[in-house]
């Protein structure tokens, strides 16, 4: 008998056997909707103890528990007979390892429990957090055992334990009860992201922090920040203060944001897009603006034939690698307008000449742009970051190949010379799904964009649906790292930030459900909505 299970008398053991031994069943979201009837504090038989109290009354006969109702759904639940657990005054949160102090303090504050720190004793009502030491397990997995009036959450890492506490928080939401039994849970996809364009539309620090709390409770683990574009550069820069927009976040504010995200096991993925989308930076450096053969400025594009261009962007990459300490970086690379015209060499002769100088007589502007991307990758790689770039920054048929360690952020197949997702996968590239058909929330709904619905994501999208509505073959699954829902602010005044929060609420929940478990959900969209509304 585990040291974390409350000791039972022989009489109690015989009584439990008489009621009927535990019946093991594995269930997914939606099996047994009736759990919420008891979880919400409905009537109990006379003489029944409150869930989480000491020994249950002998007159109580417990049915088999039903699966918890959470978003995302737990992958499996082993049903048992017992009262379950709900928080009560005087209950403790204890940890067996000091590395779990942050997780313990957070769940204690959220549930109104006492944080008792590192303890080895066990008391009725305890929530106990443990590191399992299982190095072979998915590092984000966890096991949650509700038994004998207490709860034990165990995982191989603090991230896994954190996700277990998110499940517990949802289970007891609104006075409910965590059902007796064992949850074994883990995500199918390792990257579960939300990307926010704060360059075109500034969002307040408090709004971003609210989203981080929301993302953490939903078990997302990435927040992308696109903070540089033609319309603005939205974070304080000490190396180039001349480029910073009036409405911006200070680095001190960003530190608060990154610290909050780290406490929720969310990696922030910064993006300084180049060689396109640099309009705000170039406004203070007009000599580096790209001009065509007629001398007309190409909006947002930097002239990559000029050595000073790389110096400017590398200054920013090096500075902000110190501002954002996480493991990931987005280099951008998309929509460089010099390669979008019918005859790039004729339109931009200086780029064509630079390409020939760098790569020989056959060098092209696409080669030069690829070399630019590789150069910026060299800068960021020195900071030990894993890098991604948008798929339209990878060109077909170039003599210069993109760095092998660049991950593909696949968002569209609408660009000139668009490549199918299977081309990147066939080259062995790792891919992250940003499919603009399902996952792009573009303010103002320009061009062909419409605000995505949670229902469409929930019913039709999976991480293998990288482009349009068709899935790539299943054997590519190991190369698809996950996906990200994205908010782009093309028309920044089309919605307020509160309207954005409301508009993305259900799409975020649908997205994480399909990233946690890409299989067909076992409850209808209507029931999923009801669950989301109940959980808040």
């Amino acid at each position: 008998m585990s040291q974390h299970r409350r000791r039972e008398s022989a009489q109690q053991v015989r009584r439990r056997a008489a009621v009927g031994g535990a019946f093991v069943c594995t269930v997914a979201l939606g099996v047994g909707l009736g759990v919420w009837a008891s979880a919400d504090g409905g009537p109990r038989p006379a003489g029944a103890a409150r869930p989480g109290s000491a020994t249950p009354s002998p007159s109580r006969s417990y049915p088999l528990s039903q699966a918890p109702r959470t978003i995302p759904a737990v992958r499996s639940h082993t049903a048992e007979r017992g009262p379950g657990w709900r928080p009560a005054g005087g209950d403790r949160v204890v940890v067996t390892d000091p590395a779990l102090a942050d997780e313990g303090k957070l769940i204690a504050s959220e549930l109104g429990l006492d944080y008792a720190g590192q303890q080895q004793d066990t008391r009725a009502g305890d929530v106990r957090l443990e590191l399992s030491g299982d190095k072979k397990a998915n590092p984000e997995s966890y096991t949650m055992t509700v038994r004998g009036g207490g709860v034990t959450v165990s995982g191989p890492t603090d991230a896994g334990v954190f996700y277990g506490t998110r499940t517990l928080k949802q289970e007891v939401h609104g006075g409910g009860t965590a059902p007796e039994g064992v949850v074994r849970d883990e995500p199918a996809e390792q990257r579960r992201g939300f990307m926010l364009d704060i360059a075109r539309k500034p969002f307040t620090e408090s709004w971003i922090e609210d989203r981080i709390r929301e993302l953490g409770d939903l078990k997302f683990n990435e927040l992308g920040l696109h903070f540089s574009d033609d319309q603005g550069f939205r974070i304080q820069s000490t190396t180039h203060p001349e480029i910073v927009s009036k409405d911006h976040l200070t680095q001190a504010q960003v530190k608060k944001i990154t610290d909050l995200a780290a406490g929720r096991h969310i990696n922030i993925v910064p993006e300084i897009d180049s060689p396109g989308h640099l309009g705000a930076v170039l406004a203070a450096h007009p000599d580096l603006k790209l001009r065509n053969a007629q001398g007309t400025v190409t909006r947002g594009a930097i002239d990559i034939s000029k050595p000073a261009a790389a110096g400017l962007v590398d200054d920013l990459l090096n500075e902000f690698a110190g501002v954002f300490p996480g493991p990931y970086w987005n280099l951008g690379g998309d929509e460089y307008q010099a390669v979008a015209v019918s005859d790039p060499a004729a339109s931009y002769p200086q780029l064509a000449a630079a390409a020939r100088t760098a790569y020989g007589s056959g060098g092209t502007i696409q080669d030069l742009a690829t070399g630019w991307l590789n150069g910026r990758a060299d800068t960021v790689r020195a900071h030990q970051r894993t890098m991604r770039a948008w798929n339209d920054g990878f060109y077909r048929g170039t003599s210069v190949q993109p760095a092998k360690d660049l991950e593909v952020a696949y968002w569209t197949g609408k660009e000139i010379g668009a490549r199918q997702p299977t081309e990147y996968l066939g080259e062995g590239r790792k891919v992250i799904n940003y499919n603009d058909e399902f996952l792009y929330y573009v303010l103002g709904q320009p061009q062909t964009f419409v605000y995505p619905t949670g229902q469409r994501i929930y019913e039709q999208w999976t991480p293998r649906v990288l482009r349009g509505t068709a899935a790539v073959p299943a054997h590519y699954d190991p190369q698809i790292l996950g996906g990200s829902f994205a908010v782009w602010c093309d028309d920044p005044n089309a919605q307020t930030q509160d309207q954005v929060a409301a508009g993305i609420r259900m799409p975020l929940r649908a997205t994480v459900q399909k990233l946690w478990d890409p299989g067909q959900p076992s409850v209808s969209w209507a029931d999923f909505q009801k669950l989301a509304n109940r959980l808040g």
Side-chain angles (χ1 to χ4, degrees):
M1 191 174 293
S2 167
Q3 63 177 332
H4 307 301
R5 181 174 179 177
R6 187 165 45 83
R7 191 182 305 275
E8 296 175 311
S9 69
Q11 182 183 10
Q12 288 172 311
V13 172
R14 287 194 296 272
R15 185 182 304 117
R16 289 169 62 86
V19 171
F23 176 78
V24 177
C25 59
T26 300
V27 291
L29 173 63
V31 178
L33 300 181
V35 67
W36 281 101
S38 59
D40 289 339
R44 296 188 295 273
R50 73 152 182 88
S53 68
T55 306
S57 164
S59 66
R60 178 74 184 261
S61 176
Y62 296 107
L64 279 171
S65 62
Q66 297 180 8
R69 302 283 321 282
T70 61
I71 296 175
V74 300
R75 304 295 292 274
S76 74
H77 175 253
T78 303
E80 295 183 5
R81 300 182 189 277
W85 179 89
R86 71 173 62 166
D91 287 350
R92 307 182 305 172
V93 174
V94 301
V95 300
T96 61
D97 191 299
L100 298 175
D102 288 345
E103 289 71 27
K105 291 175 183 177
L106 178 61
I107 191 64
S109 67
E110 291 170 330
L111 301 186
L113 306 179
D114 296 329
Y115 177 68
Q118 194 171 0
Q119 303 290 338
Q120 296 303 321
D121 68 308
T122 301
R123 299 180 188 174
D126 275 357
V127 174
R128 193 172 195 85
L129 308 184
E130 301 179 336
L131 291 177
S132 66
D134 185 355
K135 296 182 179 180
K136 295 182 179 180
N138 182 327
E140 293 185 302
S141 65
Y142 68 92
T143 299
M144 185 174 70
T145 303
V146 179
R147 186 180 293 149
V151 180
T152 299
V153 178
S154 175
T157 67
D158 54 351
V161 173
F162 172 74
Y163 296 135
T165 67
R166 300 307 87 194
T167 294
L168 180 62
K169 180 183 176 183
Q170 288 193 31
E171 286 181 326
V172 301
H173 173 81
T177 300
E180 200 87 359
V182 182
V183 168
R184 294 179 177 85
D185 201 14
E186 64 180 296
E189 304 296 342
Q190 61 181 274
R191 310 277 183 85
R192 304 178 301 281
F194 168 57
M195 197 230 72
L196 181 64
D197 172 12
I198 65 172
R200 295 178 177 91
K201 180 182 180 69
F203 289 81
T204 63
E205 174 192 357
S206 62
W207 191 95
I208 296 170
E209 290 175 340
D210 285 345
R211 298 290 74 71
I212 289 171
R213 295 183 185 96
E214 179 182 16
L215 295 171
D217 283 352
L218 292 170
K219 305 186 178 84
F220 280 90
N221 63 3
E222 283 191 2
L223 169 61
L225 287 182
H226 176 93
F227 63 93
S228 170
D229 213 302
D230 298 341
Q231 296 81 357
F233 192 97
R234 299 294 179 184
I235 299 178
Q236 173 193 8
S237 171
T238 57
T239 61
H240 288 281
E242 74 280 1
I243 70 173
V244 180
S245 302
K246 181 179 180 181
D247 195 344
H248 66 273
L249 297 170
T250 67
Q251 292 194 10
Q253 288 175 308
V254 172
K255 176 70 162 53
K256 288 178 61 182
I257 289 168
T258 57
D259 287 349
L260 179 66
R264 264 68 176 180
H265 296 273
I266 294 171
N267 293 308
I268 293 186
V269 185
E271 180 190 0
I272 298 175
D273 202 350
S274 77
H277 295 283
L278 281 170
V281 171
L282 294 173
H285 295 270
D287 55 313
L288 297 180
K289 291 181 178 181
L290 178 65
R291 298 176 182 273
N292 66 14
Q294 288 73 45
T296 303
V297 170
T298 301
R299 184 180 184 221
I302 198 167
D303 189 338
I304 60 177
S305 70
K306 296 182 176 182
L312 173 61
V313 174
D314 284 349
D315 282 349
L316 297 172
L317 294 174
N318 284 317
E319 176 185 359
F320 284 94
V323 174
F324 293 99
Y328 303 122
W329 195 280
N330 190 342
L331 293 168
D334 63 313
E335 297 182 323
Y336 189 49
Q337 295 304 310
V339 298
V341 297
S342 59
D343 190 344
S347 296
Y348 300 96
Q350 77 276 34
L351 297 183
R356 291 191 295 272
T357 298
Y359 305 113
S361 59
T364 65
I365 294 176
Q366 286 86 345
D367 288 323
L368 194 68
T370 303
W372 168 275
L373 188 65
N374 287 343
R376 309 296 70 73
D378 290 343
T379 299
V380 174
R381 191 183 296 108
H383 297 279
Q384 291 80 49
R385 306 299 160 86
T386 298
M387 298 161 292
R388 68 191 68 168
W390 300 111
N391 63 282
D392 51 328
F394 295 76
Y395 304 105
R396 177 187 283 120
T398 56
S399 61
V400 180
Q401 294 301 303
K404 293 186 181 299
D405 59 347
L406 284 179
E407 299 171 349
V408 178
Y410 197 97
W411 72 281
T412 189
K414 299 182 176 73
E415 78 277 11
I416 295 174
R419 301 171 65 192
Q420 291 287 343
T422 50
E423 288 193 39
Y424 304 94
L425 294 165
E427 294 170 357
R429 295 254 177 212
K430 295 178 179 178
V431 176
I432 304 165
N433 191 326
Y434 289 80
N435 187 338
D436 64 346
E437 179 78 17
F438 289 91
L439 305 178
Y440 263 35
Y441 192 96
V442 185
L443 297 196
Q445 303 182 102
Q447 302 173 39
T448 60
F449 288 108
V450 295
Y451 294 130
T453 68
Q455 181 174 2
R456 190 159 180 257
I457 297 167
Y458 188 76
E459 295 177 344
Q460 299 180 30
W461 179 80
T462 74
R464 285 199 288 117
V465 180
L466 286 161
R467 172 177 174 172
T469 59
V472 299
H475 67 265
Y476 289 123
D477 266 336
Q479 291 172 242
I480 301 172
L481 302 177
S484 182
F485 190 84
V487 168
W488 293 101
C489 301
D490 291 40
D491 182 356
N493 297 317
Q495 290 188 341
T496 66
Q497 62 179 18
D498 289 341
Q499 288 173 321
V500 173
I504 65 177
R505 180 176 175 273
M506 288 308 301
L508 281 177
R509 283 152 177 77
T511 299
V512 81
Q513 173 59 44
K514 302 303 283 289
L515 289 169
W516 196 265
D517 183 354
Q520 184 65 32
S522 57
V523 301
S524 68
W525 171 248
D527 284 338
F528 188 80
Q529 281 184 300
K530 291 176 184 176
L531 175 60
N533 291 338
R534 180 170 291 169
L535 294 176

